[in-house]
């Protein structure tokens, strides 16, 4: 009897810093949800990465954020029966492999990372963790023989780096790691800020009208959308529209499943207020079930613990065998 081919392996993660917003949902989590059955999926709450965020020096708050994020994964439809969900710090192989890879990664590669450059420029006291951040991310990915990494487009450079780190290691020590590829959405790979549609919607940006957070109240969602920056015209054709209108159409398109052409035609000749009003309903239709499911998970912390314990157990099994392979190939240990 022939064996079923191995499903291709998916790994991705989000930092438990700030609050999950609709950009994270559209760019990352909806992609995860869509491939739950076709792929072997592993989704991580990357709390070691969150230590690079200066506000996360509060242990109680970080722990609470990690639980919140794991519950939100599930509330967004990441079914723990069909995916492995766990906390990065509970599988020590991540930190161990990160050290080994730190030693094989040229410093110049890390200095080229745009996220490092922008975060370092915005921060006076930059920890070395911020520079090594993409090496830890490479360790996350490579530890699971990952084939595909579904992310928003701001992470593409990091996934390409992980691939280069894997290639270099394989070249130095022989075939060890699978070379991963990124996967980004065609529409919605970069959702922009509602208040400033030329900048990415981001967890760290402040301002009440910037983002729609997944746990925002309906009132806040409405306020943010109705106030979103557009322009003085009434151009709905996607390619001709201003960045703010394109952003609203993109969110509408991804959440409703309707094409941008159908959406643009519907509002042609009308004001942006009509588009915004309907978008409030479209976003609410996505967020209401997430809020309800999230409340269910937070009401049952024991269930959340059960999921995360089982997830860490499974992740440890896979990660340990790849870590041992890498250590053995690099000559670490006695055998
Ligand atoms: P972060 O908020 O940086 O922890 O990102 C978590 C995931 O969401 C990553 O896959 C990002 O690429 C994705 N992401 C973050 N912001 C956006 C955005 N504005 N639009 C689309 N995807 C995003
Ligand atoms: N750097 C990613 C972000 O900020 C989070 C992350 C850490 C990640 N490890 C990962 C994403 C591994 C994909 C795969 O969004």
């Amino acid at each position: 009897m022939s064996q079923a081919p191995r499903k291709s392996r998916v790994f991705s993660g989000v930092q438990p810093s700030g609050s999950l917003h609709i950009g994270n949902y559209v760019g990352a989590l909806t992609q995860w949800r869509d491939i739950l059955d076709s792929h072997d999926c592993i989704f991580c709450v990357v709390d070691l990465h969150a230590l690079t965020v200066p506000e996360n020096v509060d242990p109680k708050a970080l722990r609470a954020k990690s639980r919140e994020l794991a519950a939100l994964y599930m509330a967004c439809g990441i079914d723990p029966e069909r995916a492995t969900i766990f906390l990065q710090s509970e599988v020590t192989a991540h930190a161990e492999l990160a050290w080994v890879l730190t030693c094989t990664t040229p410093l110049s590669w890390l200095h080229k990372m745009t996220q490092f450059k922008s975060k370092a420029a915005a921060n006076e006291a930059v920890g070395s963790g911020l520079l090594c951040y993409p090496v830890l991310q490479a360790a996350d990915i490579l530890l699971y023989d990952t084939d595909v990494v579904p992310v928003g487009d701001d992470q593409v450079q990091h996934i390409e780096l992980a691939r280069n780190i894997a290639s270099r290691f394989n070249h130095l020590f022989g075939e060890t790691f699978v070379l991963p590829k990124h996967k980004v959405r065609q529409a919605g790979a970069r959702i922009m800020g509602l208040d400033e549609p030329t900048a990415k919607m981001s967890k760290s940006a402040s301002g009440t009208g910037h983002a729609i957070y997944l746990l925002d109240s309906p009132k806040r969602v409405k306020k943010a959308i109705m106030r979103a920056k557009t322009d003085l015209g009434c151009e709905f054709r996607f390619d001709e529209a201003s960045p703010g209108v394109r952003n609203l159409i993109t969110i509408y398109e991804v959440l409703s499943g309707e094409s941008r052409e159908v959406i643009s035609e519907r509002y042609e000749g009308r004001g942006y207020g009509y588009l915004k009003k309907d978008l409030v309903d479209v976003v609410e239709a996505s967020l209401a079930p997430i809020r309800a499911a999230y409340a269910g998970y937070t009401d049952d912390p024991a269930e959340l613990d059960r999921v995360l314990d089982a997830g860490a157990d499974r992740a440890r099994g896979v990660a340990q065998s790849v870590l041992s392979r890498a250590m053995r190939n690099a000559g670490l240990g006695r055998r």
Side-chain angles (χ1 to χ4, degrees):
M1 221 168 54
S2 66
Q3 268 196 338
R6 161 170 114 73
K7 277 187 186 174
S8 112
R9 170 79 48 76
V10 163
F11 183 98
S12 196
V14 177
Q15 291 185 66
S17 58
S19 300
L20 216 59
H21 54 64
I22 205 152
N24 302 127
Y25 179 65
V26 167
L29 278 101
T30 57
Q31 288 204 83
W32 302 2
R33 197 179 53 202
D34 289 347
I35 53 179
L36 281 180
D37 291 323
S38 51
H39 292 69
D40 176 7
C41 292
I42 304 182
F43 299 123
C44 184
V45 171
V46 292
D47 55 350
L48 294 171
H49 279 103
L51 275 186
T52 62
V53 178
E55 300 84 75
N56 278 338
V57 289
D58 178 345
K60 236 171 131 180
L62 178 57
R63 194 163 286 127
K65 277 278 164 209
S66 296
R67 293 184 78 91
E68 174 189 307
L69 185 56
L72 264 175
Y73 282 4
M74 293 192 271
C76 288
I78 310 304
D79 175 4
E81 299 295 322
R82 294 186 285 155
T84 299
I85 301 175
F86 72 103
L87 262 51
Q88 184 189 31
S89 62
E90 294 183 351
V91 178
T92 55
H94 290 250
E96 294 172 76
L97 183 61
W99 171 252
V100 177
L101 298 179
T102 300
C103 296
T104 61
T105 303
L107 193 53
S108 61
W109 291 6
L110 300 181
H111 277 297
K112 280 194 199 123
M113 294 294 108
T114 53
Q115 201 160 59
F116 170 71
K117 287 195 271 187
S118 63
K119 285 190 180 172
N123 202 334
E124 279 176 12
V126 178
S128 13
L130 201 58
L131 182 67
C132 295
Y133 178 112
V135 182
L136 177 59
Q137 182 163 354
D140 297 343
I141 296 167
L142 303 180
L143 268 181
Y144 297 92
D145 285 340
T146 301
D147 302 294
V148 184
V149 188
V151 282
D153 83 346
D154 62 328
Q155 291 301 312
V156 169
Q157 194 184 37
H158 284 168
I159 314 306
E160 278 170 358
L161 180 78
R163 199 178 159 85
N164 291 338
I165 290 176
S167 279
R168 185 176 163 83
F169 191 100
N170 288 352
H171 179 74
L172 291 171
F173 298 117
E175 239 8 76
T176 307
F177 295 122
V178 171
L179 304 188
K181 286 201 183 81
H182 64 263
K183 182 173 178 298
V184 296
R185 299 186 65 99
Q186 268 194 325
R190 175 176 293 241
I191 298 296
M192 311 307 273
L194 296 179
D195 58 343
E196 186 38 75
T198 51
K200 184 188 77 155
M201 185 179 284
S202 131
K203 281 178 186 157
S204 51
S206 51
T208 45
H210 173 74
I212 299 170
Y213 297 100
L214 298 193
L215 297 177
D216 271 353
S217 66
K219 202 167 143 202
R220 278 185 72 104
V221 170
K222 184 169 178 189
K223 202 161 155 189
I225 294 175
M226 296 312 289
R227 281 196 186 168
K229 184 164 171 188
T230 49
D231 59 83
L232 296 173
C234 59
E235 180 57 81
F236 286 95
R237 284 170 302 172
F238 194 83
D239 294 335
E240 314 293 326
S242 61
V245 176
R246 277 209 298 273
N247 195 36
L248 296 180
I249 294 176
T250 302
I251 298 172
Y252 198 131
E253 177 183 18
V254 174
L255 297 186
S256 70
E258 290 186 306
S259 73
R260 59 182 60 166
E261 290 77 19
V262 166
I263 297 166
S264 302
E265 263 176 41
R266 183 176 308 137
Y267 297 99
E268 201 57 63
R270 299 161 76 191
Y272 296 136
Y274 292 96
L275 168 72
K276 288 180 169 179
K277 218 162 133 285
D278 289 349
L279 182 59
V280 171
D281 294 338
V282 166
V283 170
E284 259 311 297
S286 292
L287 296 195
I290 294 175
R291 274 185 220 115
Y294 177 76
Y297 283 111
T298 48
D299 284 349
D300 190 355
E303 170 61 10
L304 184 63
D305 281 325
R306 195 195 59 75
V307 166
L308 293 177
D309 285 345
D313 278 348
R314 163 151 198 258
R316 244 175 243 126
V318 181
Q320 195 52 51
S321 80
V322 180
L323 177 67
S324 301
R325 188 200 302 156
M327 306 259 281
R328 201 171 45 243
N329 291 357
L332 295 163
R334 283 171 297 136
R335 25 187 97 80

